[in-house]
Amino acid sequence: MKTVLNIVWLVLSGIWLAIGYTIAGIVCCLLIVTIPFGIAAFRIAGYALWPFGRDVVRNPNAGAMSVIGNVIWLIVAGWWLALEHLVTGVFLCLTVIGIPLGIANFKMIPVSLLPLGAQVVPSD
C-alpha cells in the first residue's frame, strides 16, 4: 500500500514539492555559509518525493547552531515551502482519494519550517 500511495503522491504533488526544495537547496549552496541549509533542503526533497514509509525524527542532541539555523531558514525559505505544502494539501483534500495525501502534506509542514536537527528515517 505504501508503494501505491508513493506513486500517486509522486504524480500529484511529490514532483512539484521536490522541485521547490531542490531550488531552495541550489540557492542555499551558492554561498559557503549556507551549504548546511542546502544539504537539509536536498534531504527533504528526497523525503518529499517518496514520503510514505518514512518518518521525520528530531535529533535531541542538536545544539544551539541548529536553532539559529532554523530561525534563519524560517525567515528565508521555510515559510514559502510551508505555504507550498499548505496549498497543495488543501487542494488534495478536495477529493476523497487525495485526503491521505493532503494529510501527509500537512504533516510535512513542521519539517519544512525547521529542517535542521531533523532526520528522515524508515518507519518500519
Side-chain angles (χ1 to χ4, degrees):
M1 188 64 167
K2 290 185 288 189
T3 305
V4 172
L5 282 172
N6 277 323
I7 291 171
V8 173
W9 170 273
L10 183 67
V11 172
L12 294 179
S13 66
I15 199 82
W16 304 113
L17 293 171
I19 289 171
Y21 282 109
T22 304
I23 290 171
I26 291 170
V27 169
C28 288
C29 284
L30 292 177
L31 298 173
I32 294 172
V33 176
T34 55
I35 288 176
F37 301 120
I39 293 170
F42 292 138
R43 183 177 60 240
I44 299 170
Y47 179 60
L49 276 176
W50 208 256
F52 294 100
R54 300 194 292 174
D55 289 323
V56 175
V57 178
R58 290 275 166 204
N59 184 0
N61 297 329
M65 291 307 289
S66 69
V67 173
I68 294 169
N70 277 330
V71 170
I72 294 170
W73 174 268
L74 179 65
I75 293 169
V76 175
W79 67 271
W80 64 269
L81 290 168
L83 184 65
E84 183 181 25
H85 281 292
L86 183 67
V87 170
T88 306
V90 167
F91 281 124
L92 286 171
C93 285
L94 294 176
T95 65
V96 175
I97 295 171
I99 290 175
L101 304 175
I103 292 171
N105 255 307
F106 298 142
K107 288 182 180 179
M108 290 181 74
I109 289 175
V111 75
S112 70
L113 289 173
L114 308 170
L116 300 175
Q119 298 174 336
V120 179
V121 297
S123 61
D124 294 345

